[in-house]
Amino acid sequence: MTGEGRRPWVVGISGASGTPYALAAIGALLDGGEEVDLVVSRAARLTILDETGISFRDSHWREDLAALLDWKPSDPRLDAVRYWTAGDFAAGPSSGSYPARGMLVIPATAAAVAGISIGLSKDLLQRAASVNLKERRPLVLVVREAPLASTTLEQLLTLSREGAVILPASPGFYAGGQSVQRLVDFVAGKALDALGVEHSLLRRWNGQLGEQRG
């Protein structure tokens, strides 16, 4: 999965609460045969540990990702993942010549939004997002903050004008949301819709009232 023909989606996980959103999106991408370049911020590691009890480590990223997805480390779907450390500014996604298809930041903190909007490139996540913006590739930011400060709203407007899709983590209860996972999948599914990736995370509205739909 590291040959010349590889064209991955970059998935960045920042430190906001919302680990399940990221896992649902990653799992759906891999289930669909897509290739993924994964970047996990330092702050995200603390959130992952708090929300799942799993310590995500650079040196054992495959095993830790498998545990988070409830897969075996030998699962062949994981062969489609390439992991880059957050401090690696020589990583592939840091360059516009790297053949990424686009990027999903899920969840996105206000700090990540600020850094991306001003081109701060504090870490690889912010740098890769800025690269996707300048290359006019899809960039979807699943914002998981509430409430939003005026400065963050202004930064989101700037990013939207530059071509990013701003997708708040707002689940649709009309999708038959009787379980938390159903609501998580709805948000992850909407994010993949914005990237133009096919998936089966949600059932879609069919115009019929009184039926469970997504």
Side-chain angles (χ1 to χ4, degrees), residues 13-16 19 39-50 56 125:
I13 305 177
S14 74
T19 301
V39 181
V40 180
S41 76
R42 291 181 179 178
R45 297 173 190 226
L46 298 176
T47 305
I48 290 171
L49 178 61
D50 185 54
F56 192 91
L125 187 153

Side-chain angles (χ1 to χ4, degrees), residues 19 50 58 74 97 108 113 125 148 173 188 191:
T19 301
D50 185 54
D58 291 341
S74 59
S97 65
V113 166
L125 187 153
L148 292 171
F173 288 83

Side-chain angles (χ1 to χ4, degrees), residues 100-172:
R101 298 180 63 181
M103 183 169 182
L104 171 62
V105 182
I106 180 169
T109 61
V113 166
I116 298 166
S117 69
I118 64 174
L120 181 61
S121 294
K122 176 182 177 182
D123 58 14
L124 180 59
L125 187 153
Q126 293 182 18
R127 171 60 185 169
S130 296
V131 165
N132 278 273
L133 271 181
K134 78 180 184 67
E135 296 294 331
R136 300 296 189 265
R137 296 170 184 158
L139 173 63
V140 178
L141 305 176
V142 180
V143 183
R144 224 303 306 161
E145 296 280 354
L148 292 171
S150 297
T151 52
T152 303
L153 290 170
E154 291 168 355
Q155 290 157 354
L156 290 171
L157 180 57
T158 295
L159 289 168
S160 178
R161 286 171 173 163
E162 291 184 4
V165 174
I166 309 304
L167 200 151
S170 302

Side-chain angles (χ1 to χ4, degrees), residues 24 29-30 33 44 47-48 75 83 86 93 96 99 103 135 142 146 152 167 175 178 192 204 208:
L29 284 168
L30 298 179
T47 305
I48 290 171
D75 194 308
Y83 178 71
M103 183 169 182
E135 296 294 331
V142 180
T152 303
L167 200 151
Q178 295 93 348
L192 296 187
R204 302 183 183 280
Q208 301 296 315

Side-chain angles (χ1 to χ4, degrees), residues 6-10 37 93 95-103 132 137-138:
R6 191 172 184 276
R7 292 195 65 225
W9 294 102
V10 182
D37 273 22
S95 172
S97 65
Y98 188 73
R101 298 180 63 181
M103 183 169 182
N132 278 273
R137 296 170 184 158

